[in-house]
Amino acid sequence: NAGVTQTPKFRILKIGQSMTLQCAQDMNHNYMYWYRQDPGMGLKLIYYSVGAGITDKGEVPNGYNVSRSTTEDFPLRLELAAPSQTSVYFCASSYSGELGDTQYFGPGTRLTVL
Amino acid sequence: LAKTTQPISMDSYEGQEVNITCSHNNIATNDYITWYQQFPSQGPRFIIQGYKTKVTNEVASLFIPADRKSSTLSLPRVSLSDTAVYYCLGNTGGFKTIFGAGTRLFVKA
C-alpha cells in the first residue's frame, strides 16, 4: 500500500492565483482530513470528510474548498491565494472517526505565496 | 475536548532514556491518550496509544496513572534519529482530534 499520497511536494504561487492540492489514499478509509501547519506550530484542521460526498469545515476553512467524489481522493482547492496561506499542508485519513481512531498522514505539500 | 499541556522542548543525549510528560486534567471518561511523532519535513505518525496503566510497543512505552490526568511517554535509549516533535493528544477521534504545538526533542551526540 502507498498509504496517503500528496502532490505536489512544493509549490510557489503568486497572490491571487489558484491551485488544487491533491490527496489520495489506498487504505479504504472513510475519513479524510486537510491540515495546515505554520512554522513551529501544531496542525490546524481546515476541512474533513466522513465519506464520499460528505465534507465539513474544520477550524480554519476560509479561503479553501474541498470535494470528495470518491473514497480515495480528497483534493483541496485554494482560490485567490494570499500570503497568509503560506504553510505546509498535510492530508490524513482514518478508518473511522470513533474514539481511539488513529490518523495516517501524507508527506505534505509546502506552499509559498508571494 | 481534552486540552493537553506538554513541555515546549527537551534536550537529551544519545543512549539516554527520555520521558515526556503530558497533563490532560479534563480528559473525558472515554478518551484515549495518543502520541504522535513528527520528523522535520514529514507528516505526523502514530507511535502509541493507551487508556490506562502501561502500554509498550517496539518504539515506546506509555504510562498512565489511575486518575488519567497525566501521561508519560518513555523513549528508551534515544538516538539522533529520535530528534522530532512529539504530540500528546487527548484523542476523541476523527475531526475532534487536536494537535497542539507538541514537544520538540533534540538528541545530541
Side-chain angles (χ1 to χ4, degrees), chain B residues 12-101:
Chain B
S12 182
Y13 288 93
E14 282 190 293
Q16 289 188 332
E17 179 185 72
V18 171
N19 295 308
I20 305 174
T21 297
C22 175
S23 71
H24 26 78
N25 291 322
N26 64 338
I27 193 165
T29 303
N30 294 332
D31 282 347
Y32 287 81
I33 294 127
T34 308
W35 287 78
Y36 284 79
Q37 175 190 55
Q38 184 179 25
F39 296 116
S41 301
Q42 295 186 26
R45 70 168 186 141
F46 168 87
I47 50 173
I48 199 165
Q49 182 181 78
Y51 185 78
K52 60 181 178 181
T53 63
K54 177 183 175 182
V55 179
T56 297
N57 61 23
E58 65 278 6
V59 176
S61 294
L62 179 60
F63 300 90
I64 305 169
D67 65 6
R68 301 196 341 115
K69 293 184 182 300
S70 67
S71 60
T72 298
L73 176 73
S74 181
L75 304 172
R77 298 180 297 282
V78 295
S79 64
L80 296 176
S81 62
D82 291 315
T83 293
V85 178
Y86 293 83
Y87 298 95
C88 166
L89 282 70
N91 187 3
T92 57
F95 61 89
K96 298 179 182 178
T97 303
I98 297 176
F99 287 84

Side-chain angles (χ1 to χ4, degrees), chain A residues 8 13 55 65:
Chain A
L13 285 181
T55 63
N65 278 299

Side-chain angles (χ1 to χ4, degrees), chain A residues 1-110:
Chain A
N1 286 353
V4 179
T5 58
Q6 292 183 238
T7 56
K9 285 186 168 48
F10 305 94
R11 184 71 185 268
I12 298 175
L13 285 181
K14 294 182 179 179
I15 294 172
Q17 287 185 320
S18 301
M19 76 164 293
T20 299
L21 281 67
Q22 301 292 344
C23 173
Q25 53 92 8
D26 62 359
M27 297 174 283
N28 201 31
H29 284 171
N30 294 312
Y31 279 63
M32 295 188 74
Y33 316 81
W34 274 106
Y35 293 91
R36 60 175 288 173
Q37 185 175 35
D38 298 330
M41 307 295 285
L43 284 75
K44 293 185 177 180
L45 183 64
I46 304 171
Y47 270 96
Y48 68 96
S49 169
V50 303
I54 306 170
T55 63
D56 207 346
K57 298 177 181 178
E59 181 185 0
V60 289
N62 291 344
Y64 308 94
N65 278 299
V66 294
S67 60
R68 182 104 181 264
S69 57
T70 67
T71 300
E72 295 78 18
D73 300 299
F74 190 40
L76 177 71
R77 177 83 177 160
L78 277 71
E79 305 283 0
L80 299 174
S84 61
Q85 293 178 305
T86 294
S87 190
V88 180
Y89 291 84
F90 290 103
C91 178
S93 72
S94 65
Y95 179 70
S96 75
E98 295 183 0
L99 294 177
D101 188 35
T102 58
Q103 297 184 15
Y104 297 82
F105 284 79
T109 294
R110 185 175 296 273

